[in-house]
Amino acid sequence: MAYWWVNHKQTRDHEVRGGYLWSPYRNTNGAFNQTYENMKLVRPSDVVFSYANGRIGAVGRVTVAASPSPKPIEFGNVGDYWAHEGWLVEVEFKAAHRPLQPKDHIQAIGPMLPERNSPLQKNGNGNQGCYLAGISDALGHVLMALLDIRQVRELDQPPTYLVDHEPNAQVLDDIHRIETDASIPETQRLQLTRARVGQGFFRKQVILLDPACRVTGVTDTRLLIASHIKPWREASNAERLSGYNGLMLSPHVDALFDEQFITFEDDGQMRVHPSLSREVLDKWSIDPDKRVDRFRPEQASFLAHHRELFNRKMLSS
């Protein structure tokens, strides 16, 4: 197990809430950056201290090592100058019991900071040129103590997620096509494979955009499925990875949505297929007249496609 320190003032909220770290491969000018290269050295169970705005406010454990990934769409205008391809490391973060301002303890921790690529300047302020820094076990133990974390296992919160669908023959065939398609960039191949079953980076983006089931209101994302709005078979690779092409849904709602028994208007009005019996709706506590929250403009094209499939189903009934 190793200790790492991430400086991510601009993207901290996205990364901590989303459960990941992301960096481009190199600096904007193409220059080598060791603190980006460090992403490849991170391993599952490593500890990451999240530093932003002068304090360490969260600590996490790495769950999945680095893999190539496109830049997160939720970054928006932040990091416009960064390349669109880079490294993604999955981390389960927890808020610190007692947020720490390292500058207040610079006399104690200063001598323990790495000589090169230090996350802090000598005066205790953050080093903006450093993204992910490796730190010594000694410094890691000191930070844990200052943060009132007595045991590393306090950080353990193994995620249990429901997948989009069980990997049937069709899903396995789609995954095989992805893995053997040389035309798909390396930064997309692994993420597409995970997205096929509603996991990985796709799921994280959907959670950031829609953290609860639109119909049931359930917010425990462990119990929700990351469902594609525009079906996998009819979507482009970019659409398959886009968080805007996804909804977090309770399993029974996902089953109805996936088979186009229900759909939504842009304003949130739910439409229900007439073949769906009232008995099913009542037992699953689904109100056919329900209006959920309005959808984002970026979701409109995906919903329009889903409604088209819904209308075709209506005509064929």
Side-chain angles (χ1 to χ4, degrees), residues 10-24:
Q10 292 178 288
T11 57
R12 188 262 183 197
D13 290 345
H14 295 305
E15 292 181 307
V16 170
R17 287 190 298 114
Y20 64 88
L21 303 176
W22 186 90
S23 80

Side-chain angles (χ1 to χ4, degrees), residues 12-312:
R12 188 262 183 197
D13 290 345
H14 295 305
E15 292 181 307
V16 170
R17 287 190 298 114
Y20 64 88
L21 303 176
W22 186 90
S23 80
Y25 292 139
R26 290 179 173 268
N27 286 341
T28 307
N29 61 4
F32 176 88
N33 185 324
Q34 182 59 55
T35 68
Y36 293 161
E37 288 293 304
N38 285 343
M39 294 282 279
K40 297 190 293 183
L41 305 179
V42 174
R43 295 292 178 266
S45 294
D46 285 357
V47 174
V48 179
F49 297 97
S50 164
Y51 176 87
N53 301 309
R55 69 176 193 165
I56 295 175
V59 187
R61 295 201 80 177
V62 176
T63 56
V64 180
S67 61
S69 171
K71 183 169 66 176
I73 57 173
E74 63 267 19
F75 281 9
N77 295 329
V78 174
D80 269 348
Y81 49 89
W82 290 330
H84 288 283
E85 298 179 346
W87 298 112
L88 180 82
V89 171
E90 297 188 33
V91 185
E92 290 294 323
F93 283 103
K94 292 185 72 173
H97 302 308
R98 188 172 59 200
L100 169 69
Q101 291 186 303
K103 189 172 183 177
D104 293 343
H105 304 272
I106 193 62
Q107 300 263 347
I109 69 177
M112 301 182 190
L113 292 167
E115 292 185 10
R116 301 184 63 184
N117 302 308
S118 173
L120 292 182
Q121 303 174 50
K122 291 182 179 180
N123 62 8
N125 293 329
N127 181 2
Q128 292 185 343
C130 174
Y131 177 65
L132 184 67
I135 59 175
S136 66
D137 289 356
L139 179 53
H141 294 155
V142 168
L143 292 176
M144 295 279 277
L146 290 172
L147 288 160
D148 196 27
I149 301 173
R150 296 177 176 80
Q151 300 288 337
V152 172
R153 64 172 175 267
E154 291 180 37
L155 303 174
D156 290 338
Q157 44 182 357
T160 303
Y161 300 140
L162 295 177
V163 298
D164 193 350
H165 297 288
E166 289 301 314
N168 55 31
Q170 182 61 68
V171 172
L172 293 175
D173 180 59
D174 289 341
I175 291 173
H176 176 72
R177 289 174 184 272
I178 293 167
E179 293 176 342
T180 57
D181 188 343
S183 68
I184 299 176
E186 181 188 10
T187 54
Q188 290 188 3
R189 196 172 296 133
L190 179 59
Q191 297 305 330
L192 281 167
T193 299
R194 293 178 179 173
R196 183 62 185 94
V197 290
Q199 291 284 19
F201 188 45
F202 168 74
R203 180 186 179 90
K204 291 179 181 297
Q205 291 186 99
V206 177
I207 289 174
L208 284 172
L209 295 168
D210 263 317
C213 174
R214 290 270 181 161
V215 177
T216 64
V218 170
T219 58
D220 188 338
T221 55
R222 296 173 302 169
L223 308 179
L224 303 179
I225 291 173
S227 182
H228 282 87
I229 301 173
K230 185 176 183 179
W232 179 271
R233 278 296 194 174
E234 301 179 33
S236 67
N237 285 338
E239 291 172 333
R240 291 166 175 172
L241 291 175
S242 172
Y244 292 118
N245 187 25
L247 295 175
M248 297 304 295
L249 297 174
S250 297
H252 63 297
V253 179
D254 171 72
L256 297 176
F257 187 76
D258 187 62
E259 294 297 327
Q260 293 92 45
F261 281 111
I262 63 171
T263 192
F264 299 96
E265 299 291 345
D266 294 347
D267 64 2
Q269 182 62 55
M270 187 167 66
R271 295 172 59 191
V272 177
H273 195 278
S275 68
L276 201 59
S277 71
R278 186 75 198 200
E279 179 187 16
V280 170
L281 295 172
D282 289 344
K283 287 185 175 180
W284 280 357
S285 301
I286 296 175
D287 178 4
D289 299 318
K290 185 177 183 67
R291 183 189 295 272
V292 303
D293 291 340
R294 174 177 289 275
F295 291 90
R296 292 176 172 80
E298 296 89 346
Q299 295 174 296
S301 63
F302 300 120
L303 286 169
H305 188 92
H306 193 270
R307 287 195 297 271
E308 182 181 344
L309 297 177
F310 176 88
N311 291 334
R312 288 184 200 169

